[in-house]
Amino acid sequence: MTDAPMTDLPKAYEPAQVEDKWYQFWMERGYFKPAIDPNRKPFVIIMPPPNVTGELHLGHALTATLEDIMIRWHRMKGEPTLWLPGVDHAGIAAQVVVERALAKEHRTKYDLGREAFTKRMWEWANSCRSTIRKQHMRLGASCDWDREVFTLDAGPSLAVRTTFKNLYDKDLIYRGERIINWCPRCHTAISDLEVDHKDLSGHLWHIKYPLADNPEKFVTVATTRPETMLGDVAVAVNPDDERYKGLVGKKLMLPLMDREIPIIADSVVDMTFGTGAVKTTPAHDPTDFEIAQRHNLPLINIFNDDATLNKNAGRFAGIDRYAARKLIAEELAQMGLLALVQDYTHSVGHCQRCATVAEPIASRQWFVKMAPLAKPALEVVTSGQIKILPERFEKVYLNWMENIRDWCISRQLWWGHRIPVWYCKCGEVVVSVDSPTECPACHNKDIEQDPDVLDTWFSSGLWPHSTLGWPNQTEDLKYFYPTSVMETGYDILFFWVARMITMGLENTGKIPFDTVYLHGLIRDEKGEKMSKVKGNVMNPLTLIDNFGTDALRFGITTGNSPGNDIKLSENRLEAGRNFANKLFNAARFVIGFLSKSDIKPIDYTKLPVEDRWILSRLSRTEAQVASFMNDFQFGEAERELHDFIWGEFCDWYIELAKIRLQSGSEPSPLPVLLKVLDESLRLLHPFMPFITEELWQHLRQYLVGAPESIMVATYPTAHEALIDPISEEVIEGLTEVVRAIRNVRAEHKVEAGRWITAELHAGHNQGDLIQYRSAIETLGRVRPLSITADRFKGEGDSERLVLVLKNLEVVLPLSGMIDLETESKRQATELAETITQVERLRALLASGFASKAPSQVVAKEKARLEALEDKLRRLKT
């Protein structure tokens, strides 16, 4: 693109020089703050709160970008729009970070004590909150920062205690002994969802248990964890297993412990596993726990919190679990009680936070009864009140909710929401929203609060309504709740989304949001998950420094659809930067020609074909973008805009307009250039907010009634009256001709400044193309150019190159321009490719596609086939 006339825009776009300026401009004018209007329905997103575990990563950048796209779009549509930001205290994840920092100081949390450790946690959390806020601002997130919430703030804390008390009073929260997942490293219970299962190579040990009344006879059991045998309370067999019919009810001697245990019958036992007899360790296996409940068996916990063995393990007390495993196997072998050791691969649970192998342990914990809460949460999805995008995740959600288990909500941590339960020595248990000062039963003031904290997902599950003031009936809660969209990653559909739906319905009686938008993961260019270990992590702030915020936003969203993972490479980011530069240069060219005295209203009755064409394409783009946006296909909307702005507006219309501007022909293209640039910037603003604001501010002086910022300008909508298929056909023919000539010149390395002759055999298109003779000559560097109505017959074509296009032929001289052998191969390749395309389309239309696909899609494919068949006929002549 040639240099534009003088303008106050710099010659090159420098994102770092404008991004902070415009963000502060938006903040100072309060554009992020919605006004409550009882007559209008608001659009509301509550930000998924990042954890206070460090800086934002690319996943956060994707979340922020997608939500900002929605927020800016709805704001420009004139809706009261709230994007409420927040940060999560993160429970175990944050505590692990601070404990690691203490370890570097050769200290532990116990060296500090609970109060001092909690103070250290607050210092860390506040530092992270400030960092996260600044990073979101750099990403362009147009949040209402005055409403920012932290999950440990007073409001959410009140919501947590109120919810706990209400569920407890309804008998939906209880304290009981159940099998939970215990992390020996983090010293806390973790939920099933916080356990990552990995296949590990191990062994299957076959151990002989002697009969108590006949030590010469044995029952052999198979186990992957021989150390847990120290906590065995029975051996179970299937009641239908003929091998053990006469043994049920008899006693065995537990090796190494000299304790008698019974042989019991239970239908849960798999007769095909191992020997068909299984050791029963109810304190360390969920299936065994259920067996013990049915048979009234005791629980014997053999583990300390750090996975060493405790006093119930007898002489093995104090030994680490794996050391004990080895020692026990050796002793059993010496006693002749180890019948067989097999290699065995099995799934082992690991703590998601620290990767330590978790232990199933029977423990007294607090639980939520989920089945009663899950029922209404199922109904709102099956009835369509809540829509999950993409739809395939709806089945995953329903399957999980239909098979839900009680939720262990207590955590043995010091950081988080302390469980609002107090114990008195008289035995009284007090559950209260407010902290009691004495026991209500005996008035003893020496009462102790439960030392555990709640699972962080408990407070997160209240997020959509606790952030707006619940349980208080605030003005924000009344107006902004239920919210509109919950946008988050598909990987926390169960962790978070399902719990928000259950808790929202339970606490408010209303759905928390009507749409769940699930985005995918950002992977590296090879499709691998990013991790510090692999060294393929990309820091979003570094990318912003290198490419600009708009380029980053473009790179992680364009062409992507809900639920699909993204392969991110620097090529995508460079494409975003190149697009920003292309747009900047185009705007600089247009603005350089504008003056207030020259701008006149568009006279739609006297527009040249190219003006009608670009306005038609603009309207079609606006319609398509609206359709994509309404369907939450933001990546496709962005791709549509990119193709229009770069491919049609910049590469073709501006080039055609240059010819008119240089010749001074009337009508001037400036009013149309102004309109298309204005609406293009507004269409693009939700996706690339900084460069669009920068350019629009230079443009707005020429726009009648323009507001102070593009951010509060109206989002463009399609004008059907401007859609003009005839002008589109004409310019499509023009661009096809020029593109074909350019491709040949490039393929055969014809110098850019060299003119070549050309013939157009245009048929009925002759009249349309004659009026664009000058444009074809200029853009294709062809002169002289002849345009005839006859079709090319092929006479004397040994000296000429023939390009067969949709409705015409272009004939170019071969002399001195191309290699004849290369051209012959090109023609053969084009013929073969056209035959392949024709055969594929014929097969497609002959299949079930024609009856299943939408009629407009079928019609489009039929038209493509007709055009290709015509091209094939002409290629063969």
Side-chain angles (χ1 to χ4, degrees):
M1 186 175 292
T2 58
D3 286 343
M6 292 301 293
T7 171
D8 57 347
L9 275 169
K11 287 188 175 182
Y13 178 57
E14 298 292 343
Q17 295 180 10
V18 303
E19 290 178 352
D20 183 64
K21 172 185 70 174
W22 290 122
Y23 198 89
Q24 293 304 318
F25 173 81
W26 297 327
M27 287 275 289
E28 289 166 2
R29 281 156 179 77
Y31 292 145
F32 301 166
K33 295 183 64 63
I36 293 179
D37 182 352
N39 298 317
R40 307 199 68 184
K41 182 180 179 180
F43 180 81
V44 184
I45 292 178
I46 308 295
M47 177 187 288
N51 291 337
V52 286
T53 50
E55 297 183 341
L56 297 184
H57 52 65
L58 276 175
H60 295 119
L62 178 61
T63 295
T65 299
L66 288 169
E67 292 177 15
D68 197 43
I69 287 170
M70 287 185 266
I71 287 292
R72 288 178 184 271
W73 176 49
H74 282 274
R75 189 185 287 121
M76 292 177 76
K77 289 170 68 177
E79 301 170 23
T81 303
L82 171 63
W83 186 12
L84 192 151
V87 186
D88 198 311
H89 67 282
I92 186 173
Q95 182 161 319
V96 165
V97 171
V98 174
E99 285 191 82
R100 285 173 179 164
L102 284 174
K104 292 179 180 178
E105 303 169 11
H106 306 291
R107 293 194 295 173
T108 70
K109 65 179 183 179
Y110 303 105
D111 295 327
L112 271 67
R114 185 162 192 157
E115 185 177 346
F117 179 76
T118 302
K119 182 180 179 182
R120 179 77 173 256
M121 288 296 310
W122 271 105
E123 291 171 355
W124 166 257
N126 288 332
S127 173
C128 280
R129 288 177 66 182
S130 175
T131 299
I132 289 169
R133 184 185 305 115
K134 291 174 183 176
Q135 290 175 328
H136 269 125
M137 290 177 174
R138 286 206 67 186
L139 286 164
S142 56
C143 305
D144 184 350
W145 293 108
D146 290 340
R147 283 184 166 93
E148 184 184 5
V149 179
F150 184 48
T151 47
L152 289 179
D153 284 347
S157 295
L158 176 61
V160 164
R161 287 193 170 195
T162 302
T163 301
F164 190 100
K165 178 75 164 66
N166 290 346
L167 292 175
Y168 182 84
D169 290 345
K170 291 182 178 182
D171 198 31
L172 292 174
I173 281 184
Y174 64 93
R175 195 183 189 207
E177 197 159 38
R178 295 286 187 275
I179 289 286
I180 52 90
N181 305 292
W182 181 266
C183 176
R185 158 63 185 79
C186 299
H187 287 198
T188 184
I190 51 179
S191 74
D192 292 342
L193 292 174
E194 293 170 309
V195 176
D196 289 334
H197 289 274
K198 304 174 185 177
D199 287 338
L200 298 182
S201 297
H203 297 93
L204 192 62
W205 284 269
H206 293 250
I207 305 171
K208 293 192 254 183
Y209 285 34
L211 285 165
D213 59 1
N214 188 354
E216 299 301 317
K217 292 188 176 182
F218 307 92
V219 170
T220 302
V221 302
T223 180
T224 59
R225 298 190 298 160
E227 69 278 9
T228 62
M229 67 177 292
L230 306 178
D232 284 359
V233 297
V235 167
V237 297
N238 192 293
D240 297 326
D241 195 329
E242 294 294 334
R243 293 172 291 180
Y244 302 107
K245 283 286 187 183
L247 294 178
V248 175
K250 288 184 175 292
K251 297 291 181 71
L252 298 168
M253 288 301 296
L254 179 63
L256 305 177
M257 297 300 289
D258 294 326
R259 185 171 70 240
E260 288 191 357
I261 58 174
I263 301 174
I264 61 173
D266 197 288
S267 58
V268 77
V269 177
D270 181 359
M271 291 186 287
T272 66
F273 175 77
T275 63
V278 296
K279 58 191 288 300
T280 304
T281 320
H284 301 295
D285 184 275
T287 301
D288 294 358
F289 180 86
E290 298 298 330
I291 292 173
Q293 297 296 300
R294 288 192 289 272
H295 295 269
N296 196 29
L297 298 172
L299 305 180
I300 301 176
N301 184 347
I302 63 165
F303 286 118
N304 294 311
D305 288 353
D306 61 358
T308 58
L309 275 60
N310 64 23
K311 63 181 182 181
N312 292 331
R315 59 191 173 86
F316 297 97
I319 302 175
D320 175 76
R321 54 183 167 172
Y322 298 123
R325 176 180 297 178
K326 182 179 179 181
L327 184 60
I328 287 168
E330 289 173 350
E331 290 200 19
L332 289 171
Q334 291 170 5
M335 297 167 66
L337 297 178
L338 192 58
L340 178 68
V341 180
Q342 296 174 293
D343 290 337
Y344 189 71
T345 299
H346 60 131
S347 180
V348 178
H350 292 69
C351 174
Q352 194 178 72
R353 301 298 178 188
C354 68
T356 301
V357 172
E359 281 291 344
I361 291 179
S363 177
R364 192 163 176 77
Q365 302 282 345
W366 288 96
F367 296 85
V368 176
K369 293 179 182 177
M370 291 304 297
L373 295 171
K375 185 177 179 181
L378 273 165
E379 291 173 353
V380 294
V381 173
T382 56
S383 67
Q385 293 181 64
I386 294 180
K387 184 178 182 180
I388 298 177
L389 299 173
E391 291 183 1
R392 67 179 184 271
F393 283 100
E394 183 176 313
K395 292 181 180 178
V396 181
Y397 170 88
L398 296 178
N399 180 63
W400 190 74
M401 294 296 280
E402 287 164 355
N403 297 283
I404 200 164
R405 297 171 58 184
D406 285 358
W407 173 18
C408 176
I409 56 171
S410 47
R411 298 289 182 271
Q412 289 65 52
L413 304 171
W414 289 354
W415 175 244
H417 291 278
R418 190 97 172 254
I419 290 176
V421 176
W422 288 260
Y423 306 102
C424 180
K425 292 178 181 177
C426 74
E428 184 74 7
V429 176
V430 182
V431 178
S432 176
V433 174
D434 300 317
S435 299
T437 56
E438 63 178 29
C439 172
C442 69
H443 303 294
N444 182 1
K445 296 185 183 300
D446 186 18
I447 56 176
E448 292 186 2
Q449 187 173 0
D450 194 302
D452 291 351
V453 301
L454 289 164
D455 178 9
T456 185
W457 296 105
F458 190 92
S459 54
S460 299
L462 316 179
W463 194 239
H465 54 282
S466 69
T467 51
L468 294 171
W470 188 91
N472 297 319
Q473 292 302 305
T474 64
E475 189 177 19
D476 275 3
L477 184 68
K478 293 175 184 176
Y479 185 64
F480 294 115
Y481 189 87
T483 67
S484 307
V485 178
M486 175 47 64
E487 188 282 333
T488 189
Y490 65 66
D491 53 330
I492 55 174
L493 176 60
F494 308 135
F495 276 113
W496 192 38
V497 176
R499 287 166 177 165
M500 283 189 288
I501 295 173
T502 57
M503 293 298 198
L505 290 167
E506 171 65 21
N507 283 345
T508 72
K510 300 176 182 178
I511 57 174
F513 29 73
D514 52 45
T515 301
V516 177
Y517 178 107
L518 300 173
H519 67 248
L521 305 177
I522 297 184
R523 299 181 179 273
D524 70 10
E525 58 188 325
K526 297 178 182 177
E528 296 181 0
K529 191 172 182 179
M530 292 187 178
S531 72
K532 291 181 180 178
V533 174
K534 292 179 181 177
N536 60 353
V537 172
M538 302 171 78
N539 186 312
L541 296 186
T542 302
L543 298 178
I544 287 174
D545 289 338
N546 293 339
F547 298 96
T549 299
D550 290 324
L552 173 62
R553 289 168 63 119
F554 180 93
I556 61 178
T557 56
T558 300
N560 189 54
S561 55
N564 290 337
D565 290 351
I566 303 161
K567 292 181 182 178
L568 185 64
S569 66
E570 289 209 353
N571 289 339
R572 286 180 69 107
L573 299 166
E574 287 170 358
R577 180 172 60 190
N578 292 342
F579 181 42
N581 290 335
K582 184 81 170 182
L583 178 63
F584 185 84
N585 290 334
R588 187 172 182 274
F589 173 84
V590 174
I591 293 168
F593 272 102
L594 293 173
S595 66
K596 292 181 181 179
S597 60
D598 291 338
I599 300 304
K600 302 172 184 176
I602 297 174
D603 184 349
Y604 291 97
T605 66
K606 297 180 180 179
L607 291 178
V609 175
E610 67 263 32
D611 288 3
R612 299 202 308 273
W613 166 74
I614 195 63
L615 292 174
S616 179
R617 294 300 307 139
L618 174 64
S619 287
R620 286 193 192 274
T621 300
E622 288 167 339
Q624 187 61 70
V625 166
S627 177
F628 281 136
M629 297 291 273
N630 286 320
D631 289 341
F632 292 85
Q633 294 286 347
F634 307 118
E636 287 303 301
E638 196 169 7
R639 180 191 55 76
E640 189 81 15
L641 284 171
H642 169 271
D643 291 351
F644 169 75
I645 293 171
W646 187 310
E648 294 178 307
F649 181 54
C650 294
D651 278 356
W652 292 107
Y653 182 71
I654 288 181
E655 294 304 315
L656 292 170
K658 280 182 185 178
I659 298 172
R660 286 162 60 192
L661 287 169
Q662 289 165 359
S663 67
S665 60
E666 291 291 338
S668 169
L670 286 174
V672 174
L673 282 166
L674 176 61
K675 175 180 174 64
V676 177
L677 179 58
D678 164 41
E679 295 191 20
S680 295
L681 292 174
R682 285 188 277 139
L683 285 166
L684 190 61
H685 176 72
F687 306 94
M688 302 176 77
F690 291 109
I691 189 170
T692 51
E693 182 72 88
E694 172 73 7
L695 295 175
W696 200 79
Q697 287 293 334
H698 286 83
L699 196 69
R700 63 184 288 268
Q701 60 181 308
Y702 306 108
L703 302 171
V704 178
E708 278 190 312
S709 169
I710 193 173
M711 189 174 155
V712 290
T714 303
Y715 202 74
T717 54
H719 300 281
E720 289 190 17
L722 295 179
I723 294 177
D724 186 342
I726 295 175
S727 69
E728 290 184 3
E729 184 177 357
V730 172
I731 301 301
E732 181 184 342
L734 165 66
T735 58
E736 187 183 27
V737 168
V738 174
R739 190 179 290 114
I741 295 171
R742 285 175 171 176
N743 288 344
V744 169
R745 293 177 64 106
E747 184 178 350
H748 298 287
K749 298 180 174 59
V750 179
E751 298 91 337
R754 182 179 174 187
W755 293 81
I756 60 175
T757 62
E759 300 172 15
L760 299 186
H761 295 263
H764 70 276
N765 297 307
Q766 179 192 25
D768 294 330
L769 292 176
I770 284 176
Q771 65 176 312
Y772 285 103
R773 178 191 300 276
S774 175
I776 295 171
E777 290 176 340
T778 302
L779 300 176
R781 301 293 285 179
V782 290
R783 190 181 295 160
L785 171 66
S786 67
I787 304 175
T788 63
D790 62 310
R791 305 312 295 263
F792 182 70
K793 303 301 183 183
E795 296 88 344
D797 58 349
S798 62
E799 296 296 325
R800 292 178 291 183
L801 167 62
V802 181
L803 306 176
V804 180
L805 306 184
K806 184 176 179 181
N807 294 311
L808 54 95
E809 296 84 37
V810 181
V811 182
L812 301 173
L814 290 172
S815 177
M817 186 176 74
I818 65 171
D819 179 82
L820 292 178
E821 184 179 350
T822 301
E823 175 52 25
S824 178
K825 290 180 180 179
R826 186 199 68 78
Q827 289 178 347
T829 300
E830 184 177 14
L831 178 62
E833 289 177 349
T834 305
I835 291 172
T836 300
Q837 291 175 339
V838 167
E839 290 175 347
R840 185 188 66 79
L841 277 175
R842 284 174 178 169
L844 178 67
L845 292 169
S847 68
F849 167 80
S851 60
K852 295 178 181 178
S855 58
Q856 65 267 31
V857 175
V858 175
K860 183 178 180 181
E861 295 302 322
K862 286 181 177 179
R864 284 185 61 209
L865 177 59
E866 184 179 335
L868 283 168
E869 287 175 333
D870 176 65
K871 180 179 180 180
L872 182 59
R873 283 191 294 271
R874 288 182 284 127
L875 283 169
K876 288 180 176 180
T877 58

